[in-house]
Amino acid sequence: MTKSLPRIACFHGGGSKGAIYEVQCSQLAGLLKNDFQFVFFDGPFESGPGPGVLPAFRDYKPFRSWFKKDGSEIEQSDGSGYDISGRDGVERVWKLMEAAGPGGEWVGVMGFSQGTRITGGLLLDQQRRTAFGELGNTPKLKFGVLCMGAGAPMVSEIGHQMADTGSTDLVKIPTLHVHGLKDMFLALGRQQHATYYESGTSKVYDVDYHHAMPWYKHEVQRLAELIRELYRESTGY
């Protein structure tokens, strides 16, 4: 019986879905098939198609989002509004990972576009839970990969508590930030990195590409190498 590979939880962009992100990551997952298992999740809210989704993925409806707007059209930063169970936002995402069932250790999180806000939210939530001594049964993530990102990390319940104390802590868990030099949201991606992530524990990888997962062979190969390095550095293996 072979040992289960370490797992990376993957979060699609707004107006997409897990199955689409799986296609977009197929080259990367193929290069890392002996290193990691990539597990793709769906956002809870139906939405219109996001940037670059049409026409290639028109048959993948319904498209989904991780956030929705409240009655005044203000986006709810904690991803709330799905149900009344109290498992909104980050707490619900942890539950999704738990519901994926047995397998390898959860070691990383990766997000594209809006999905980078989930990635950052989980990492920040883990840091804050550790600081509070309330880690519980949630996985102990070792790294995050943020591709063509923008925006603040998703807020969690414990994050709201920290916000009440005026905390502005940065994500210190090691991260890799992939920025597309032709991405229309490049400035927002750079702002996300500078505002919410500790410079000493984060790396930037610029690719000559638009708002999409890296697709040129040499860039995907380099991304795979950087993810392996990130994992080795975080585990000492």
Side-chain angles (χ1 to χ4, degrees):
M1 206 172 156
T2 57
K3 184 182 176 184
S4 297
L5 291 172
R7 289 186 286 182
I8 297 176
C10 303
F11 307 103
H12 61 77
S16 183
K17 68 193 314 180
I20 295 175
Y21 196 29
E22 188 168 3
V23 173
Q24 294 168 327
C25 294
S26 57
Q27 280 198 74
L28 179 64
L31 290 171
L32 293 171
K33 65 182 179 182
N34 295 321
D35 303 89
F36 303 102
Q37 178 189 1
F38 290 79
V39 183
F40 297 84
F41 295 96
D42 284 331
F45 307 114
E46 285 194 23
S47 75
V53 168
L54 297 179
F57 297 104
R58 61 181 176 273
D59 295 332
Y60 281 71
K61 293 179 183 176
F63 307 118
R64 310 196 75 83
S65 172
W66 295 99
F67 298 89
K68 78 172 187 178
K69 296 176 180 177
D70 66 15
S72 60
E73 290 302 293
I74 301 298
E75 185 182 89
Q76 302 190 124
S77 63
D78 58 358
S80 64
Y82 181 62
D83 59 27
I84 57 170
S85 68
R87 292 196 300 271
D88 267 335
V90 171
E91 284 71 27
R92 184 176 59 249
V93 179
W94 286 125
K95 291 288 185 184
L96 285 175
M97 292 170 65
E98 182 182 332
E105 176 190 10
W106 292 108
V107 295
V109 281
M110 181 173 75
F112 173 75
S113 193
Q114 187 189 82
T116 63
R117 299 180 62 187
I118 316 308
T119 296
L122 291 170
L123 296 175
L124 197 55
D125 186 57
Q126 177 176 301
Q127 278 182 199
R128 288 166 167 172
R129 287 179 185 277
T130 302
F132 269 86
E134 296 179 4
L135 197 55
N137 295 322
T138 56
K140 187 152 181 19
L141 302 169
K142 296 173 172 60
F143 65 87
V145 181
L146 297 88
C147 304
M148 316 296 174
M154 179 183 270
V155 179
S156 66
E157 184 179 320
I158 203 165
H160 284 302
Q161 295 174 27
M162 295 289 277
D164 290 341
T165 66
S167 170
T168 55
D169 49 339
L170 303 176
V171 175
K172 299 178 179 65
I173 295 168
T175 50
L176 173 66
H177 301 253
V178 182
H179 293 162
L181 298 178
K182 297 175 181 174
D183 183 4
M184 56 187 165
F185 304 117
L186 173 59
L188 294 176
R190 287 176 168 164
Q191 181 185 49
Q192 180 192 64
H193 173 239
T195 306
Y196 303 107
Y197 294 84
E198 178 66 56
S199 60
T201 54
S202 59
K203 297 179 181 179
V204 173
Y205 175 43
D206 289 332
V207 296
D208 190 26
Y209 211 51
H210 55 86
H211 193 68
M213 286 296 293
W215 198 252
Y216 296 129
K217 186 176 180 181
H218 69 283
E219 290 179 341
V220 184
Q221 288 174 333
R222 180 58 181 153
L223 177 56
E225 289 170 10
L226 289 169
I227 292 174
R228 287 192 191 101
E229 285 177 16
L230 200 58
Y231 179 59
R232 281 199 302 269
E233 289 168 3
S234 65
T235 60
Y237 292 156

